[in-house]
Each structure stands twice: as structure tokens, then as C-alpha cells.
């Protein structure tokens, strides 16, 4: 996170204001006093400080700040695309869950979610750099991820049943790590079959094999 500045009648008041804006505790922040309050003059000056997260903080500690930065970044992205959409981001157990809702948002999803995955990765990189710490971020657009999950689960179960019925191995097309996990979990619900992954990223695939 870039430095956040705040002022107050006292140094303590300025620090409290800066920490509140950064959504950090005093133990989690680097604090620099830029100027002390000047009193006894006609035009007295307030105290001014700046804060930022300590380097290497765990995601749990920076999640509230990460949520704010994620929302700001995605709102800027939506503006750049000239779209009308509502952006929300919340911190849930150390993970930032961000949603973009509105009409005509297909451009932010792309083929099989390729653009959405790229947006999520860029958001994660930008926020992590500003926080000086890794950030766990999940971005969804118009409920795409939930719809994609349901479709993949049904697709995986159908293929698993086919593998059992025809007693043959089935290799799926390469997919992202997130999609592979959905497939692995769905196939576990079908008896008589197992899965494993093969290949190198980004061409890694799930293989369904009769047990």
C-alpha cells in the first residue's frame, strides 16, 4: 500500500486517523511523523503523519485494506471499459471476495472466463504490491464463477459415469487450476472412478480413470 497521510490536533490523533483510513492496527503499520503540531501561533499547524503496512504481513492482517484497494482498482477498471456496474469487495476469513454486477459485462469474462482470470491475477498483483504482502483475492463477474462451477460439476460427473460405464480413461482439455479442482471434487462423488492431473501449466489436464 502506498503511504496514507493524515493530520490531527496531536500526533496521536493523526496516527489514529491514518490507521483508520488504512484499516490497520498500530502493530501492523509502519508509522512516520511528518510534522509535529505547532501551538501558540496565530496560525497553528496540525500534526501530520503517514502510515503503511509492515512488509510481509499475513493476508489475514491486510484483508480489510486489500478489500478497499481491490474495490478501488476494479471500479477504475470498470470506468476504463466504459461500463455501468456495481463493484463490491469484502474480507472473508483472510480472503477478499470481489463482485462486479451489471448488464453487458461479457467483455470482462471472456472465452471460458479467460479475461476474468486475467483480471483477477492483475488485481491480485496490484494489491499485493501496494500492500507489500500477498493478497488472497477472488473476483467474480455477473455470477459467472458460480454458473461455471455448476456446469463443470455436471460435466465432470457425466464424464465420470461414462468412464465407469465404458471402462475407459478420459482426458479432459487443459484448464485452470481452479477448474481442475472443481472437476476433481465432482468426480469424487461418483463411485468406481478416480482422477489425477497431468501435463505442465498452462496445459495441465484432468484425467478420469476407472478405479
Amino acid at each position: 500500500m502506498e503511504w496514507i497521510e493524515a493530520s490531527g490536533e496531536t500526533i496521536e490523533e493523526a496516527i489514529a486517523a491514518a490507521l483508520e483510513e488504512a484499516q490497520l492496527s498500530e502493530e501492523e503499520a509502519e508509522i512516520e511523523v511528518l510534522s509535529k503540531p505547532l501551538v501558540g501561533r496565530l496560525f497553528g499547524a496540525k500534526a501530520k503523519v503517514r502510515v503503511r503496512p509492515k512488509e510481509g504481513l499475513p493476508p489475514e492482517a491486510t484483508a480489510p485494506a486489500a478489500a478497499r484497494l481491490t474495490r478501488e482498482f476494479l471500479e477504475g477498471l470498470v470506468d476504463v471499459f466504459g461500463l455501468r456496474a456495481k463493484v463490491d469487495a469484502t474480507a472473508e476469513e483472510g480472503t477478499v471476495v470481489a463482485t462486479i454486477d451489471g448488464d453487458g459485462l461479457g467483455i470482462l469474462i471472456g472465452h471460458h472466463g479467460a479475461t476474468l482470470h486475467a483480471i483477477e491475477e492483475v488485481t491480485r498483483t496490484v494489491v499485493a504490491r501496494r500492500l507489500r504482502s500477498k493478497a488472497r483475492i477472488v473476483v467474480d463477474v455477473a455470477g459467472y464463477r458460480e454458473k461455471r462451477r455448476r456446469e463443470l460439476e455436471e460435466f465432470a460427473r457425466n464424464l465420470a459415469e461414462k468412464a465407469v460405464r465404458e471402462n475407459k480413461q478420459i482426458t479432459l482439455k487443459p484448464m485452470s487450476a481452479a477448474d481442475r479442482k472443481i472437476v476433481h471434487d465432482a468426480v469424487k462423488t461418483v463411485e468406481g472412478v478416480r482422477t489425477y492431473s497431468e501435463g505442465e501449466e498452462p496445459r495441465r489436464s484432468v484425467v478420469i480413470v476407472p478405479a
Side-chain angles (χ1 to χ4, degrees), residues 12-199:
E12 291 75 15
E13 184 178 305
I15 290 174
L19 291 174
E20 181 178 1
E21 183 176 348
Q23 299 185 40
L24 295 169
S25 69
E26 192 166 348
E27 293 74 21
E28 296 165 347
E30 287 185 18
I31 302 172
E32 287 190 9
V33 177
L34 300 177
S35 62
K36 296 180 180 181
L38 297 177
V39 295
R41 296 185 181 182
L42 182 59
F43 300 103
K46 292 185 176 181
K48 182 179 291 186
V49 304
R50 66 178 186 174
V51 304
R52 68 177 179 181
K54 291 180 179 177
E55 190 168 3
L57 287 175
E60 292 79 4
T62 57
R68 179 174 61 81
L69 291 172
T70 296
R71 183 174 60 254
E72 291 174 356
F73 176 78
L74 293 177
E75 286 174 342
L77 184 69
V78 167
D79 287 341
V80 168
F81 276 92
L83 300 171
R84 297 185 64 181
K86 179 182 178 182
V87 178
D88 191 24
T90 58
E92 301 177 7
E93 298 182 351
T95 297
V96 174
V97 178
T99 57
I100 305 175
D101 292 309
D103 297 324
L105 300 180
I107 191 173
L108 299 181
I109 298 174
H111 184 62
H112 290 324
T115 304
L116 173 57
H117 290 307
I119 289 173
E120 182 178 87
E121 190 60 34
V122 170
T123 303
R124 186 181 295 121
T125 299
V126 169
V127 173
R129 184 175 300 161
R130 294 184 65 184
L131 285 176
R132 307 168 75 211
S133 175
K134 291 183 178 179
R136 299 172 184 160
I137 299 174
V138 177
V139 180
D140 195 10
V141 174
Y144 171 82
R145 287 193 182 278
E146 179 60 24
K147 180 181 178 182
R148 172 72 171 170
R149 183 185 64 79
R150 292 196 302 266
E151 291 176 345
L152 267 180
E153 286 177 341
E154 182 178 0
F155 176 68
R157 284 192 292 266
N158 288 338
L159 285 183
E161 292 169 357
K162 180 179 180 180
V164 173
R165 185 171 61 251
E166 300 181 6
N167 193 33
K168 71 175 185 180
Q169 173 178 306
I170 298 177
T171 301
L172 280 66
K173 293 181 179 180
M175 59 181 64
S176 67
D179 284 351
R180 292 199 306 271
K181 184 179 186 308
I182 292 173
V183 171
H184 287 306
D185 291 343
V187 172
K188 287 179 182 178
T189 66
V190 180
E191 294 185 2
V193 69
R194 63 183 178 84
T195 61
Y196 65 89
S197 294
E198 67 176 10

